[in-house]
Amino acid sequence: MISHPSRHCTVELQALPSRIGQVRRIVSAQLRYWHLDTLIDRAALGVTELLTNVHQHAQPDKMCTVEIELLLDRLKVSVRDHDPRLPVVNDADSLATCGRGLAMVAAVSESWGVRPDGESGKVVWFTLHTPTAARSVAAACPPRRAESNTPVPVFAEVERTVDAHRSGHAPARSAVAG
């Protein structure tokens, strides 16, 4: 018998269009299990955009790991791939039909960022604020793995872009290269 539900879910996959839909459904089911139904649409959109970026830009392969973690006051969703190149946020034409993935992630999340993962990869992540009821569930369940107290670095250019979008002083859409 499991006394505490897990607060952590990891899925490894090759970021192909058919797999992206499957991961979106897995994330949705896990959030329902954690009673976080109100976060499903934003989390599913965010993970879809991050996986689409892996599919379109990551090299040398499309293998990646999606991780969702329920913390005390937020849900953290991250995608780790094997491409060490960090995404670059550029201005996009207002009529662009692609290249706005990170801008969408910024728009639906509380915070987001990117960090190198060793010499051969990176992690792109975003967080969503959890409702009060979910916090009581998270507090009742001790984490199953040690967490570092080291803050996750956010690159200044990405942080400025997110802040600018939130304050309304930036272009409405951005593009990602890499």
Side-chain angles (χ1 to χ4, degrees), residues 15-17 20 50-58 62:
L16 301 174
I20 294 170
L50 296 183
L51 288 174
T52 299
N53 282 351
V54 172
H55 173 70
Q56 292 177 343
H57 304 291
K62 306 301 180 191

Side-chain angles (χ1 to χ4, degrees), residues 2-52:
I2 298 173
S3 58
H4 298 290
S6 175
R7 297 177 2 183
H8 184 259
C9 177
T10 302
V11 179
E12 294 183 52
L13 71 142
Q14 189 172 13
L16 301 174
S18 61
R19 304 299 263 175
I20 294 170
Q22 292 172 343
V23 172
R24 190 173 46 245
R25 288 187 293 277
I26 290 168
V27 167
S28 298
Q30 186 65 51
L31 293 181
R32 276 198 245 5
Y33 176 72
W34 287 338
H35 306 287
L36 294 172
D37 299 53
T38 59
L39 301 182
I40 290 173
D41 290 340
R42 292 185 296 151
L45 175 62
V47 79
T48 298
E49 293 301 328
L50 296 183
L51 288 174
T52 299

Side-chain angles (χ1 to χ4, degrees), residues 107-129:
V108 302
S109 66
E110 295 297 321
S111 63
W112 74 281
V114 59
R115 64 179 166 82
D117 185 38
E119 293 182 18
S120 61
K122 67 180 166 300
V123 177
V124 183
W125 56 268
F126 66 92
T127 63
L128 301 171
H129 187 69

Side-chain angles (χ1 to χ4, degrees), residues 52-124:
T52 299
N53 282 351
V54 172
H55 173 70
Q56 292 177 343
H57 304 291
Q59 296 176 12
D61 59 38
K62 306 301 180 191
M63 292 303 297
C64 63
T65 303
V66 174
E67 182 177 15
I68 59 175
E69 187 172 16
L70 179 58
L71 305 169
L72 290 178
D73 62 345
R74 70 189 183 281
L75 177 76
K76 183 176 181 182
V77 179
S78 60
V79 175
R80 174 179 285 110
D81 66 40
H82 298 135
D83 190 341
R85 297 174 302 153
L86 302 177
V88 177
V89 180
N90 298 316
D91 292 336
D93 183 301
S94 62
L95 300 175
T97 58
C98 62
R100 298 178 290 165
L102 288 180
M104 291 175 70
V105 170
V108 302
S109 66
E110 295 297 321
S111 63
W112 74 281
V114 59
R115 64 179 166 82
D117 185 38
E119 293 182 18
S120 61
K122 67 180 166 300
V123 177
V124 183

